[in-house]
Amino acid sequence: MAGKQGKARRSIYQQLRDGAEELLDEAGSSETVWMPGARDGVLIYHWNGRADEEELRRLSTAIGTLKPAAVRKAIGEARIISLVDALLADVSSAGLDHEGVYELAYALATESDEREAVKLGIALLGLFDAEHHRAELMTFGRHDEFTLYAMTALRNTGGDATADLWALARQVRGWGRIHLVERLARASDPAVREWIVREGFRNDVATAYLAGTAAGAGDLAGRLAGTPDYELLEAAGEILTALTDEDGPVAGMSGYQEGRRAAELYLGHIEARTGGAGAGGAAAGGDGSAARPGAGELRHFLYVHALREYADEHWPELLPRCTDILARPLWAELATAALAGADDDAAFGRAVRACELLGIPTAAPTGLSTWSCRAWTPGRDTAGR
């Protein structure tokens, strides 16, 4: 297929095999550039429309020719995600030659230089046993733009696709991870569920998309009822904070039945770590004993603050516990230390936010440069900075 100015572009499959992240069909475009997989993700989560009947008829007819060029031309401006279920149903009931459909699917997937044609090809490959083209599907699945389609096609196998899906989930961070984790949450493997609640929920789109999935599939409340290690306690705070946003892209705390119990257990661990006698027990240090938070754990102050704001409206009985934790002098020490020692923008941002909530000045004294402002903390000698 000819690209712009008549020059043939490499197929998307070849680009992905070569490790490309930005696809050539979008490079230099004057249109708004979406992050990989975002258009499809937004349609899945936020669109309740129906497939365009004219687009569906046009594409079904083109697929019936079994000619890749005819199908690519018929796609036009269509978004495959809105048509794919109906198209696959049409193909399955049309009595087309199976070998011809497979050859068409493989050609669309591996030879096309435009993403919608590739998506349709991968979707059609999903009608066949994934073992025939597993390597190609894994290549597509590593790019967030195509993960959803590869995931669906990989599931058509005589065996269990969980291992392949989990491997892909650990390699993508955007919309692809969201789709994969939603599917993996149904897996029976306890190792997969533990990974989801400890790490897998994190993504580059919004934690809220997977927070509820992680809390439920990973039995967050049950794990907090034991003795969580540092990694799990940090994940718990992050998940619970995301769930406090009831105006987010998906259901928040109201969609998690054990939300209040999990929050209470989490607060108990933070109480124990910050010098209280919380009912939830102490988070374990390396020797299993309660561990006092270090400067890197200032994020727990922000997590508790988010829970306090939520409790103020929904759980008034937890409000005093949140308020007591936030009033402990430990946080001011950690905030000023973090403000001075932050080694990346995220850590610096957390420190500034914590200082603002604690009423600690973060602006530099008159005469200091912007760089000095970043390193300055109240009460420190600024000579030489």
Side-chain angles (χ1 to χ4, degrees):
M1 183 175 183
K4 294 181 180 180
Q5 300 178 345
K7 183 178 180 180
R9 289 192 299 232
R10 288 180 301 154
S11 71
I12 284 178
Y13 177 63
Q14 186 60 54
Q15 294 173 50
L16 296 179
R17 288 187 63 183
D18 292 344
E21 295 184 7
E22 182 182 25
L23 304 178
L24 295 180
D25 69 333
E26 193 169 64
S29 172
S30 60
E31 298 181 3
T32 300
V33 177
W34 295 65
M35 69 182 297
R39 282 189 174 181
D40 291 346
V42 169
L43 285 174
I44 291 171
Y45 279 89
H46 308 289
W47 181 69
N48 294 317
R50 300 176 58 187
D52 184 285
E53 294 297 330
E54 172 57 27
E55 289 181 341
L56 180 59
R57 182 198 62 76
R58 185 177 73 243
L59 269 172
S60 292
T61 299
I63 291 172
T65 69
L66 302 180
K67 296 179 179 179
V71 176
R72 294 187 184 107
K73 182 178 180 180
I75 290 175
E77 300 299 317
R79 309 300 304 178
I80 296 302
I81 191 64
S82 64
L83 304 168
V84 63
D85 291 336
L87 281 173
L88 294 182
D90 283 356
V91 172
S92 297
S93 62
L96 299 174
D97 176 69
H98 285 196
E99 184 175 349
V101 173
Y102 184 84
E103 290 177 354
L104 170 67
Y106 194 84
L108 288 173
T110 62
E111 298 173 12
S112 300
D113 64 0
E114 294 184 349
R115 65 191 66 197
E116 296 303 313
V118 172
K119 292 172 185 177
L120 179 55
I122 299 172
L124 290 171
L125 285 176
L127 297 172
F128 302 89
D129 191 330
E131 286 303 314
H132 296 301
H133 37 262
R134 176 181 172 277
E136 291 87 341
L137 293 179
M138 293 296 286
T139 296
F140 285 119
R142 295 185 188 100
H143 193 287
D144 286 289
E145 185 73 22
F146 307 105
T147 308
L148 172 63
Y149 302 87
M151 173 190 79
T152 305
L154 281 165
R155 291 174 52 221
N156 186 9
T157 177
D160 185 356
T162 298
D164 283 341
L165 301 187
W166 190 14
L168 288 177
R170 286 175 286 185
Q171 297 177 66
V172 291
R173 291 279 305 186
W175 282 98
R177 173 168 286 196
I178 292 173
H179 299 312
L180 285 162
V181 170
E182 289 284 7
R183 170 56 56 180
L184 288 168
R186 310 172 198 176
S188 58
D189 188 343
V192 173
R193 290 172 175 262
E194 182 170 4
W195 173 79
I196 290 174
V197 76
R198 285 178 172 272
E199 178 185 351
F201 68 91
R202 296 188 177 101
N203 63 84
D204 293 338
V205 182
T207 303
Y209 278 106
L210 293 175
T213 299
D219 187 20
L220 180 63
R223 294 178 190 276
L224 289 173
T227 306
D229 56 23
Y230 169 79
E231 180 186 64
L232 181 59
L233 193 62
E234 181 179 336
E238 193 171 344
I239 290 169
L240 292 170
T241 295
L243 289 173
T244 62
D245 183 6
E246 294 288 6
D247 297 322
V250 294
M253 197 74 75
S254 59
Y256 176 39
Q257 289 186 338
E258 294 197 277
R260 185 192 177 283
R261 175 175 173 242
E264 188 168 13
L265 289 166
Y266 170 76
L267 291 173
H269 292 297
I270 300 304
E271 283 175 326
R273 291 176 71 86
T274 57
D287 59 357
S289 61
R292 179 181 173 87
E297 296 181 59
L298 184 63
R299 65 190 70 209
H300 288 294
F301 173 82
L302 301 177
Y303 298 154
V304 175
H305 187 273
L307 287 173
R308 184 194 183 284
E309 291 189 329
Y310 188 85
D312 190 34
E313 182 176 353
H314 301 279
W315 301 325
E317 65 279 9
L318 295 186
L319 193 57
R321 295 182 67 183
C322 294
T323 301
D324 175 70
I325 292 171
L326 294 173
R328 295 178 180 181
L330 161 97
W331 301 117
E333 300 172 16
L334 294 181
T336 52
L339 191 65
D343 55 4
D344 60 62
D345 289 342
F348 184 62
R350 286 192 297 270
V352 169
R353 175 61 176 154
C355 286
E356 290 173 346
L357 293 172
L358 289 163
I360 299 172
T362 56
T366 301
L368 289 186
S369 66
T370 301
W371 176 252
S372 301
C373 176
R374 189 183 189 283
W376 179 81
T377 58
R380 289 185 56 132
D381 179 12
T382 57
R385 292 192 180 278

